[in-house]
Amino acid sequence: MTLKRMDNVLIVVDVQNDFCPDGALAVPSGDEVVPIVNRLGENFRNVVLTQDWHPVGHLSFASAHPGRAPYDTIAMSYGPQVLWPDHCVQGTPGAAFHDGLHIPQAGLVVRKGLDPAIDSYSALYENDRTTPTGLTGYLRERGIKRLFLAGLALDFCVRYSAEDAIREGFAVVVIEDACRGIDIDGSMAATHQSLKSLGISIVNIEAFL
Ligand SMILES: [Zn+2]
């Protein structure tokens, strides 16, 4: 497969300090994806980085809901929402990309989770699944047909991005060993089941590099 073809894009999801060990919402071994993602990046002309980017007091934070603890699930107007520790607050070191991330040709950074009242796991839609981030339009205008997804966390932001992308008519490949997951209440198993049922390819980097 010629990964450098112009209708392919690598989407690097949320490789940010708060999702790495010692971060506010650490994904176990999250930093292990950094060298793998960098190696992937060398093989794509089109790269998009996403960045979780919340205002202070975001409604996805448990601290915004008195009596609730991180990892509780509550009902929001748009459906169930896991509550998280405060993380990726706009302009803080935790919201910055991991220092080791090096894909200088990345053409776009999509910031998401900006609305104080709606979380956004997916790079394409907020968690109400109707408010677009604008990424779909960007990809269409650029003639992109196939998305390769890597990053954090596999069972939340990578999963939701993959699901939205295939619904939008793109071909989608999740590079599993370039992702790490959180695994809350069976979320990793649910992710594998969902991706397979939607026809999303799940591969390892060795399959094509
Ligand atoms: Zn977030």
Side-chain angles (χ1 to χ4, degrees), residues 185-196:
D185 294 336
S187 57
M188 285 290 273
T191 296
H192 280 105
Q193 192 171 31
S194 170
L195 297 183
K196 275 185 195 149

Side-chain angles (χ1 to χ4, degrees), residues 5 8 35-36 54 60-61 63 79 88 94-95 100 106 113 132 137 152 158 168 170-171 184:
R5 51 190 289 175
N8 283 346
I36 303 170
H54 299 306
S60 75
F61 297 168
S63 62
C88 296
L152 306 171
V158 174
E168 289 290 347
F170 298 104
I184 296 170

Side-chain angles (χ1 to χ4, degrees), residues 6-128:
M6 286 304 287
D7 57 358
N8 283 346
V9 66
L10 174 67
I11 311 268
V12 177
V13 178
D14 296 2
V15 180
Q16 294 167 260
N17 291 325
D18 271 345
F19 296 126
C20 291
D22 301 324
L25 176 39
V27 177
S29 305
D31 57 337
E32 289 179 6
V33 305
V34 172
I36 303 170
V37 165
N38 287 345
R39 189 174 152 216
L40 276 171
E42 292 169 8
N43 288 275
F44 286 83
R45 301 246 289 274
N46 294 317
V47 179
V48 171
L49 310 177
T50 77
Q51 199 169 22
D52 211 28
W53 197 254
H54 299 306
V56 170
H58 192 257
L59 276 190
S60 75
F61 297 168
S63 62
H65 303 269
R68 294 292 187 166
Y71 309 105
D72 284 353
T73 299
I74 65 162
M76 300 278 253
S77 58
Y78 51 81
Q81 169 71 48
V82 179
L83 297 178
W84 304 107
D86 290 23
H87 66 280
C88 296
V89 173
Q90 295 165 3
T92 63
F97 290 119
H98 187 285
D99 275 349
L101 186 67
H102 185 72
I103 311 181
Q105 84 277 22
L108 179 71
V109 175
V110 177
R111 287 176 166 169
K112 59 191 181 64
L114 300 148
D115 186 322
I118 311 179
D119 205 2
S120 189
Y121 296 153
S122 165
L124 284 72
Y125 286 95
E126 296 186 3
N127 281 11
D128 59 8

